[in-house]
Amino acid sequence: MKPPHIVIIGNGVSANRASEVLRENDPDVRITLISREFFLFYFRHKLPAFITGSIDEDSLIVHDLHFYMDRNIRLRLGQTVQKIDLENKTLFLSHMEMVHYDKLLICSGGQSHIPEIYYPFRSFFTTLKKLSDARDIRKKLPLINRIVIVGGDLTSLRLADALIRSGREVSFILDDFAFWPIESGPDIRHALETALKKVGATVISGDPLERIERISDGDPPEYAVYTRKGQQLRAQMVGAFFGFKPDVDFLIRSGLDIDRGILVDDRLQTTYPDVFAAGDCAQVYAPHLNNYWVSIGWKNAIMLGEIAAANMSGSEQPVSMPVEQRIRFSDLQLKTPWWHAL
Amino acid sequence: MNKYIPPDGWSTHSRDLNYIRTNIPCQWACPAFTNIPGYIEAVFHGDFDRAYLINRRSNLFPGVLGRICTRPCESACRHGESDLGQPVSICHIKRIAADNTSDDHLILEQLFSPSGKTVGIVGAGPAGLAAAHSLALFGHRVTVYESFEMPGGMLYYGIPAFRLPRAVISEEVFNALRQGIELRTGVTLGKDIYLPDLMAKHDAVILAAGCQDARSLNVPGEDLPGVISGLDFMMQVNRGHRDCVGRRVMVIGGGFTAVDCSRSARRLGAEEVYIAIRGVEEDLTVPVDEIRDMYREGIRFVSLVSALSIDGVDHVSGIRFVRNRFGGIRGSGGRCILPIEGSEFSMDIDTVIAAIGQVPQSGLSEWSEQSVSYNPDSGRSSVPGLYGAGDYIRKASTVIEAIGNGRRVAENVDEDLMRRRRRLQVVSIESTGNTHRERTWDFIERHDMPTIDFDDRLRNQDAEVETGYSIQTGTEAASRCYLCNLKYEIHIPECIYCRWCIDVCPRNCIDLTETLNEDLPAPVHSGSVTAQWSRTAGVVIDSDRCIRCGECYRVCPMQCIHVTRVELQDHCVSREIP
Ligand SMILES: Cc1cc2nc3c(=O)[nH]c(=O)nc-3n(C[C@H](O)[C@H](O)[C@H](O)COP(=O)(O)OP(=O)(O)OC[C@H]3O[C@@H](n4cnc5c(N)ncnc54)[C@H](O)[C@@H]3O)c2cc1C
Ligand SMILES: Cc1cc2nc3c(=O)[nH]c(=O)nc-3n(C[C@H](O)[C@H](O)[C@H](O)COP(=O)(O)OP(=O)(O)OC[C@H]3O[C@@H](n4cnc5c(N)ncnc54)[C@H](O)[C@@H]3O)c2cc1C
Ligand code: SF4
Ligand code: SF4
Ligand code: SF4
């Protein structure tokens, strides 16, 4: 009889860590990682440095192919899972292939969040989540001098710093929606403002985005960005940085329980016994918060990947809330249990 | 080897009816069977009058539905299959037809001669009006009894003006009543009139009284001042009361009523508005555009909670919840929702709007002390001559379901009165000799509905939020429709098996088959697919996957791919179809 097939959706940090643990626990199971992206597993936090050219693509890579060969893990890149038939334990890939699993771990990560009020301008926004986004920005960058960033999440701070160092003018329109799903409020906004000004950005605070117009289609295009109080900025690129939200759209109506993310119990199991979720896409109930939480962050994704893998191999390990850590950006210090200084 | 190619004309063959079911998914999903590709094509050609008429034949209120329909058709639309992008914006296209009819456009009706029969209808909501309109066309004398001062039911008293301007309702309701229907407003069954008298007066009576009793929350504190039912709240708002909310409002429920209450409360000055739902956002029964609008208006969801109690001394001051978790699938199909022990929490609020559903008024249809039962599809009841329609017999549903049901019930009343079926569903078949589409149109993205600015929404609370597509956008949106009413068939005797069509087909839906099953109630024919050339008996198109892109038609060297337009139509007959 063939050994059971464990399929992991995703090739990010939680998926990779989980595959490693699964292999340590059982030398025989068949393990397959499926990822929509064409690239090997890479460090997402290094993307800003890659964009401005201070590092090349090779330095982004975490594991090369030997990692998978040595562990007998099958890696399928550039393949998108389109839907799941939970009753028949089958995944449907977008190129019309069906893949059977015995156990499934979903590590589909996060996607850039655009608040509903700005939804009409989504086609004007540049976002940064994947290497393909970064490649795109890096390609356009030589022609670009003026950049407006709307939002102000943790990713955008690092990007702004890198862009300013490379000689670009960066203006921020700070927004209360930046730390989705938490509103940042005036104190954090004020601290952010000071920190950003210190690295050389122009900052508009307390005057949110009203609308964006594309005023020329040239290369690069030109945008006019208006705030509610009537300020007008010109830019060749408008970045939207409002944090990440779970990338679970492909699971809606699959039968899995989806709220903001995939609802899992404290063993990271979904309502289907052989289906688990870990990393940025999972939503867990935390008794000490008396609320559900979705964690977005690298180390936390590692921890969840490990726990899910252990539980898929038969343990009964509950998740615990990660310890709060300080992260610094210029003079700004934030405490978060999820996002870590990398 | 000849195959079934229906001749141009009418068909009532089950095979052709079945084609509609499996191949025009939007039309089949519409509770009124609106000929969607038909009107979308008319919009594409700029013929808004025709598009309006095609719509009105099935759904009576195109301008209304083009704004507030729940769009079951869009969920079924082929363009929305997971690898094909987003569904066609069927509803927005309907609206553009309604908004742009010419000033002197004709409303054509198929009118039977007077029958001498009379029908009484209780309730002038969408179901009652649709039934009244159909019965008037059948030649019967119709009287509608309505307890409110205005006709329209929940269109008028439930749905707020910022989603559905009152002028649109009055114009279309007026047009529905124009066939000599007598409307008596301010008349309530059970108070001003009684069922036995109505039954004696009319040859048939239809109760279309909707669902107007609010379900209660059944939690302590529900009677405190500051707690109001969703329907009462919307009725007050729609009657012009403007001082019915506080500053921090908690709406409980996940349907239209809840969403409308929350958006209205925001417009009436509430600073913080929350919607509490037992499950998750995915369960909401409102279209996603509207959820997006809610977010834009600053309304927040509190998901996975159940109310435990409403707190306060002489007015609401807070609400206590417990958090929920899902506990697997119940036997009946729904998900189990279970409380999480120890997860209780409170929120400070000053208004609670309980919008957890409505039920039909009890006791309306008691008849000789026996309670009456209804068939929710046919509307016939256990009492001869008494019928029900719409939400009253089908539980709270949607406008389009109420209209579809009202029309069907009217057909059944007519059949019982006249002892024969006088309106039939038939399939019209017509060869087109053209694909009517270009492949590039398949790549156009769905267009967002433009809306007014946030500040304007608060400044004028009745201002319609959605402004409608421009004609240019509407035409482009219409070009996205695959026109699933076009049927692509390969005429096998002429085919030379060159397989060019297979090479160009982007959906991989042309197959070599070993056998040809011609008598199945299948669309065109099907057969068992083979990869072996020597066993091939034919080349067939799987219409269910086909996106009518026309690539095969254009490439075929033998021109043996035929395109026919297949449409479901209502056909009025005074005698049996020959
Ligand atoms: C620019 C940037 C900077 C960051 N900086 C930091 C930092 O400094 N500190 C920190 O703690 N965190 C940081 N993060 C966040 C951190 O990278 C994420 O929290 C972490 O990568 C989450 O890992 P994951 O395994 O859950 O998912 P991801 O890494 O997001 O991986 C998701 C995977 O799922 C695949 N996938 C998704 N859907 C499908 C589908 N339908 N079919 C097939 N495959 C699919 C994707 O291709 C991808 O491989 C940063 C993120 C970015 C983008
Ligand atoms: C706030 C709200 C928002 C909604 N939004 C939408 C939406 O966006 N899209 C959608 O598709 N559906 C929506 N609905 C649902 C939709 O309005 C109903 O499903 C539909 O109106 C049902 O039609 P009906 O004719 O069966 O009943 P109703 O519209 O309820 O009409 C019943 C009529 O009967 C009259 N009546 C009742 N009792 C008596 C009596 N004893 N004597 C005389 N007359 C009587 C009533 O006054 C009323 O006019 C909404 C409902 C509400 C409450
Ligand atoms: S593509 Fe057009 S005809 Fe086909 S299902 Fe969608 S709306 Fe209907
Ligand atoms: S029209 Fe022809 S080529 Fe296009 S999807 Fe249908 S069968 Fe394939
Ligand atoms: S292109 Fe025409 S002739 Fe060739 S296989 Fe297709 S239908 Fe037959």
Side-chain angles (χ1 to χ4, degrees):
Chain A
M1 214 178 75
K2 271 201 196 165
H5 188 197
I6 301 187
V7 176
I8 304 181
I9 302 179
N11 180 32
V13 61
S14 56
N16 274 278
R17 184 63 194 128
S19 68
E20 217 174 337
V21 174
L22 284 166
R23 180 52 78 222
E24 282 159 16
N25 290 344
D26 186 338
D28 297 323
V29 282
R30 289 179 294 145
I31 303 176
T32 306
L33 294 182
I34 304 180
S35 168
R36 193 162 54 192
E37 292 180 72
F38 285 96
F39 316 106
L40 287 168
F41 169 35
Y42 57 93
F43 290 113
R44 293 189 192 273
H45 67 276
K46 293 188 182 170
L47 292 177
F50 166 73
I51 286 178
T52 52
S54 37
I55 57 170
D56 60 13
E57 220 168 281
D58 286 345
S59 11
L60 293 174
I61 306 239
V62 187
H63 296 325
D64 64 13
L65 283 175
H66 291 289
F67 175 88
Y68 307 95
M69 285 193 284
D70 295 348
R71 288 169 181 77
N72 188 21
I73 293 169
R74 189 144 181 234
L75 188 59
R76 285 164 161 253
L77 298 181
Q79 304 191 350
T80 303
V81 178
Q82 209 158 55
K83 52 181 189 204
I84 304 186
D85 177 351
L86 292 156
E87 297 305 324
N88 295 307
K89 296 193 164 186
T90 307
L91 304 180
F92 292 81
L93 308 187
S94 59
H95 59 274
M96 299 185 51
E97 186 185 342
M98 297 196 285
V99 177
H100 177 82
Y101 62 82
D102 295 298
K103 285 190 180 166
L104 178 68
L105 173 59
I106 307 175
C107 298
S108 58
Q111 56 180 322
S112 302
H113 168 62
I114 304 232
E116 280 69 14
I117 36 168
Y118 303 137
Y119 205 73
F121 316 117
R122 66 191 183 284
S123 61
F124 299 146
F125 285 138
T126 298
T127 54
L128 174 63
K129 160 71 200 192
K130 307 182 290 288
L131 178 53
S132 55
D133 301 332
R135 276 185 174 173
D136 225 34
I137 305 177
R138 182 168 158 148
K139 205 167 89 199
K140 289 184 193 149
L141 207 58
L143 295 173
I144 288 177
N145 295 314
R146 278 167 288 120
I147 297 157
V148 168
I149 292 183
V150 191
D153 64 8
L154 292 170
T155 338
S156 64
L157 305 187
R158 190 173 288 185
L159 178 66
D161 194 23
L163 288 171
I164 292 167
R165 279 172 207 272
S166 73
R168 269 76 186 183
E169 262 175 53
V170 177
S171 310
F172 260 85
I173 302 183
L174 285 184
D175 201 292
D176 281 353
F177 293 102
F179 288 93
W180 182 94
I182 305 151
E183 278 179 37
S184 52
D187 339 339
I188 294 189
R189 205 169 50 206
H190 185 71
L192 261 175
E193 192 179 334
T194 321
L196 279 168
K197 282 188 177 150
K198 199 154 180 196
V199 299
T202 310
V203 181
I204 296 180
S205 177
D207 182 13
L209 172 71
E210 169 146 305
R211 67 175 197 283
I212 305 176
E213 283 169 12
R214 196 188 178 109
I215 47 180
S216 101
D217 280 335
D219 193 13
E222 182 83 16
Y223 300 95
V225 182
Y226 299 89
T227 66
R228 292 192 137 223
K229 293 187 185 153
Q231 302 192 60
Q232 199 202 114
L233 300 170
R234 289 294 179 91
Q236 293 140 332
M237 182 180 279
V238 185
F241 289 86
F242 297 93
F244 301 107
K245 63 174 188 180
D247 190 349
V248 291
D249 296 350
F250 71 107
L251 298 170
I252 290 194
R253 315 222 178 281
S254 62
L256 284 178
D257 296 327
I258 309 286
D259 182 27
R260 278 174 288 156
I262 305 166
L263 288 165
V264 285
D265 63 13
D266 64 350
R267 314 281 133 129
L268 300 181
Q269 192 179 49
T270 65
T271 23
Y272 284 77
D274 293 322
V275 183
F276 291 72
D280 287 4
C281 65
Q283 180 176 345
V284 195
Y285 180 74
H288 64 286
L289 290 180
N290 189 10
N291 206 342
Y292 285 91
W293 54 279
V294 175
S295 65
I296 302 278
W298 185 270
K299 292 219 171 121
N300 187 59
I302 297 182
M303 176 195 79
L304 295 184
E306 271 171 15
I307 294 175
N311 291 337
M312 289 173 87
S313 313
S315 314
E316 287 283 329
Q317 234 174 285
V319 277
S320 56
M321 205 48 181
V323 195
E324 276 200 323
Q325 289 220 347
R326 265 172 215 287
I327 48 168
R328 291 174 62 106
F329 173 80
S330 181
D331 290 347
L332 168 71
Q333 288 207 10
L334 289 171
K335 277 207 300 192
T336 133
W338 304 314
W339 193 275
H340 284 225
L342 292 171
Chain B
M1 200 186 321
N2 218 337
K3 69 185 189 87
Y4 173 79
I5 291 192
D8 283 11
W10 303 102
S11 164
T12 48
H13 197 296
S14 63
R15 182 160 33 195
D16 295 314
L17 284 167
N18 211 47
Y19 177 87
I20 308 277
R21 183 169 69 202
T22 48
N23 284 286
I24 316 184
C26 55
Q27 182 166 12
W28 203 258
C30 172
F33 302 113
T34 308
N35 178 358
I36 292 164
Y39 82 72
I40 292 186
E41 206 181 355
V43 167
F44 176 74
H45 292 297
D47 191 346
F48 302 119
D49 293 359
R50 192 174 124 73
Y52 187 85
L53 263 192
I54 294 176
N55 255 300
R56 187 174 183 277
R57 237 171 254 152
S58 314
N59 63 39
L60 197 57
F61 302 138
V64 167
L65 287 160
R67 290 170 164 84
I68 54 87
C69 191
T70 46
R71 312 170 197 172
C73 54
E74 292 188 13
S75 314
C77 169
R78 184 162 281 131
H79 213 315
E81 283 180 19
S82 46
D83 50 339
L84 292 173
Q86 297 259 26
V88 173
S89 36
I90 301 174
C91 190
H92 300 340
I93 299 174
K94 183 190 320 278
R95 168 166 173 183
I96 196 184
D99 286 0
N100 292 285
T101 45
S102 54
D103 290 344
D104 52 359
H105 88 278
L106 281 176
I107 293 181
L108 300 173
E109 304 266 36
Q110 289 179 308
L111 202 57
F112 282 87
S113 54
S115 66
K117 312 270 186 198
T118 81
V119 183
I121 297 179
V122 179
L129 290 172
H133 175 254
S134 277
L135 287 164
L137 297 188
F138 280 126
H140 310 304
R141 281 195 45 195
V142 181
T143 309
V144 179
Y145 304 91
E146 165 59 53
S147 60
F148 289 145
E149 53 277 32
M150 295 290 289
M154 287 308 113
L155 299 181
Y156 202 97
Y157 291 97
I159 302 176
F162 63 84
R163 286 208 292 133
L164 179 58
R166 308 291 105 159
V168 177
I169 309 176
S170 14
E171 180 182 329
E172 294 195 324
V173 167
F174 172 73
N175 278 337
L177 294 171
R178 270 161 74 186
Q179 303 307 324
I181 295 164
E182 186 189 349
L183 172 68
R184 295 182 53 197
T185 52
V187 180
T188 302
L189 177 68
K191 200 173 114 217
D192 309 309
I193 44 168
Y194 296 90
L195 194 54
D197 304 333
L198 278 188
M199 294 288 284
K201 187 167 166 198
H202 298 286
D203 298 298
V205 171
I206 305 178
L207 297 188
C211 284
Q212 250 133 58
D213 283 0
R215 274 214 191 101
S216 68
L217 284 171
N218 282 330
V219 298
E222 200 174 358
D223 302 326
L224 280 171
V227 183
I228 180 170
S229 89
L231 193 58
D232 286 345
F233 175 71
M234 285 314 300
M235 286 191 184
Q236 289 191 18
V237 173
N238 286 326
R239 289 196 156 105
H241 298 286
R242 298 295 183 208
D243 52 354
C244 34
V245 286
R247 292 174 49 203
R248 289 171 58 92
V249 178
M250 178 64 67
V251 180
I252 302 177
F256 306 110
T257 312
V259 173
D260 280 339
C261 290
S262 69
R263 297 183 69 191
S264 302
R266 192 79 178 88
R267 283 164 173 72
L268 294 184
E271 283 155 21
E272 287 175 44
V273 180
Y274 302 90
I275 293 195
I277 46 179
R278 290 177 66 225
V280 292
E281 227 180 279
E282 184 190 324
D283 306 331
L284 297 187
T285 48
V286 278
V288 18
D289 299 6
E290 209 186 331
I291 296 183
R292 211 167 278 144
D293 268 320
M294 276 180 50
Y295 276 116
R296 276 182 215 162
E297 289 166 14
I299 295 155
R300 326 277 168 76
F301 279 109
V302 188
S303 52
L304 286 165
V305 294
S306 296
L308 293 177
S309 62
I310 299 170
D311 308 324
V313 184
D314 33 290
H315 194 273
V316 177
S317 62
I319 183 163
R320 201 165 161 69
F321 287 113
V322 62
R323 292 200 195 273
N324 293 329
R325 66 182 173 87
F326 286 122
I329 313 290
R330 274 188 314 223
S332 58
R335 281 182 292 200
C336 260
I337 297 181
L338 306 168
I340 299 178
E341 227 170 276
S343 67
E344 295 79 8
F345 68 101
S346 300
M347 287 176 76
D348 291 339
I349 37 120
D350 55 25
T351 309
V352 174
I353 303 178
I356 53 167
Q358 287 102 238
V359 291
Q361 232 171 297
S362 54
L364 264 195
S365 59
E366 262 165 38
W367 178 250
S368 322
E369 284 165 22
Q370 78 193 58
S371 72
V372 181
S373 62
Y374 294 89
N375 176 328
D377 293 316
S378 71
R380 292 184 174 101
S381 78
S382 47
V383 177
L386 180 62
Y387 302 78
D391 282 8
Y392 182 67
I393 55 166
R394 296 166 67 82
K395 299 200 225 110
S397 65
T398 62
V399 173
I400 190 66
E401 279 179 71
I403 293 179
N405 183 251
R407 290 186 85 225
R408 266 193 309 284
V409 172
E411 282 162 12
N412 293 336
V413 171
D414 181 67
E415 184 178 12
D416 295 350
L417 292 177
M418 306 306 286
R419 311 214 165 270
R420 63 178 188 274
R421 200 95 193 148
R422 299 199 295 167
R423 190 156 73 194
L424 297 176
Q425 282 193 330
V426 299
V427 177
S428 75
I429 298 158
E430 166 208 3
S431 26
T432 69
N434 184 342
T435 68
H436 297 270
R437 298 204 68 239
E438 284 175 21
R439 174 73 176 127
T440 48
W441 299 346
D442 294 343
F443 305 102
I444 300 174
E445 302 252 349
R446 185 180 159 114
H447 306 73
D448 289 342
M449 168 57 76
T451 55
I452 59 170
D453 284 347
F454 178 69
D455 291 341
D456 293 335
R457 298 183 192 188
L458 296 192
R459 215 171 286 137
N460 172 4
Q461 37 200 278
D462 288 340
E464 188 174 15
V465 169
E466 300 187 336
T467 53
Y469 280 166
S470 66
I471 290 185
Q472 189 196 341
T473 310
T475 314
E476 213 172 86
S479 73
R480 294 181 70 234
C481 171
Y482 297 144
L483 303 181
C484 299
N485 57 349
L486 298 184
K487 170 157 115 179
Y488 280 69
E489 283 175 290
I490 296 173
H491 190 216
I492 290 165
E494 289 167 62
C495 167
I496 56 168
Y497 302 94
C498 68
R499 292 182 287 178
W500 287 7
C501 56
I502 298 184
D503 290 345
V504 297
C505 175
R507 278 287 268 175
N508 228 342
C509 62
I510 310 183
D511 295 315
L512 301 178
T513 58
E514 260 177 52
T515 50
L516 291 172
N517 308 332
E518 303 210 359
D519 290 325
L520 283 180
V524 199
H525 39 207
S526 57
S528 49
V529 175
T530 179
Q532 280 187 42
W533 181 234
S534 56
R535 309 182 68 152
T536 299
V539 184
V540 297
I541 295 176
D542 177 354
S543 306
D544 200 12
R545 285 187 47 78
C546 168
I547 56 169
R548 283 78 171 157
C549 70
E551 293 292 89
C552 57
Y553 178 88
R554 285 185 276 272
V555 80
C556 175
M558 299 304 291
Q559 299 186 343
C560 62
I561 300 183
H562 293 253
V563 186
T564 39
R565 182 179 283 108
V566 181
E567 292 186 307
L568 189 68
Q569 312 256 3
D570 275 336
H571 199 67
C572 290
V573 280
S574 47
R575 266 174 265 121
E576 278 285 292
I577 285 196

